[in-house]
Amino acid sequence: FLIGGGSALGLAVRESGLLTILTDSVRSRLATSPWLLVVQLMALLVAATTFVSHTVAALVLMPLVVSLGRDAGIDRLAVLLGAFACSTACALPMTSFPNVNSLLAVDDVGRPWLSVKHFLIAGIPTTVAIALLLISMGYELGELVLG
């Protein structure tokens, strides 16, 4: 249901014209430098996927990334790093099915193995570290590989 609902939401955003409206309103607020644009897009994607499912955020936001990346001449790089950024956030358990599944796991007497606190303790530093790697080394490697 998650993928089906996310696909329907992504299609609705595109077909309704909301994507165009959103792209036009965001474009004027973003940097013109390709690297700064990637930094801003990565921050947006990581922030969004911290609070909602990675799948749904990717289905809704990746068309925006493609459009803004195309306008800046870095569409392939923006898509590559955007796809990684959508899977970066792990500070909260609701971001992916495996995280939710882990949160719901209990021992033999019914006590949960993990709590949200455990996700925050491990997830915040991990999310920040991976995001920084994406906007530094990921950008450079992406340019090298994609030309």
Side-chain angles (χ1 to χ4, degrees), residues 17-116:
L18 181 59
L19 177 62
T20 304
I21 293 168
L22 187 59
T23 303
D24 291 342
S25 67
V26 169
R27 185 179 294 121
S28 64
R29 294 182 179 94
L30 293 176
T32 56
S33 159
W35 183 79
L36 285 176
L37 175 64
V38 167
V39 169
Q40 290 171 326
L41 290 174
M42 297 308 100
L44 170 71
L45 292 170
V46 170
T49 58
T50 295
F51 300 104
V52 298
S53 158
H54 295 157
T55 305
V56 172
L59 287 166
V60 172
L61 294 175
M62 285 306 287
L64 176 70
V65 170
V66 170
S67 179
L68 293 169
R70 186 180 305 125
D71 292 347
I74 56 164
D75 51 339
R76 292 177 8 163
L77 181 61
V79 168
L80 174 68
L81 295 178
F84 286 128
C86 283
S87 298
T88 297
C90 57
L92 294 173
M94 77 282 290
T95 59
S96 70
F97 177 75
N99 285 359
V100 171
N101 207 23
S102 298
L103 182 68
L104 298 177
V106 294
D107 64 12
D108 293 336
V109 293
R111 289 181 308 211
W113 288 99
L114 300 171
S115 69
V116 173

Side-chain angles (χ1 to χ4, degrees), residues 76-78 80-81 84 136-147:
R76 292 177 8 163
L77 181 61
L80 174 68
L81 295 178
F84 286 128
S136 59
M137 290 176 56
Y139 184 86
E140 294 298 324
L141 287 172
E143 277 193 323
L144 181 69
V145 170
L146 298 173

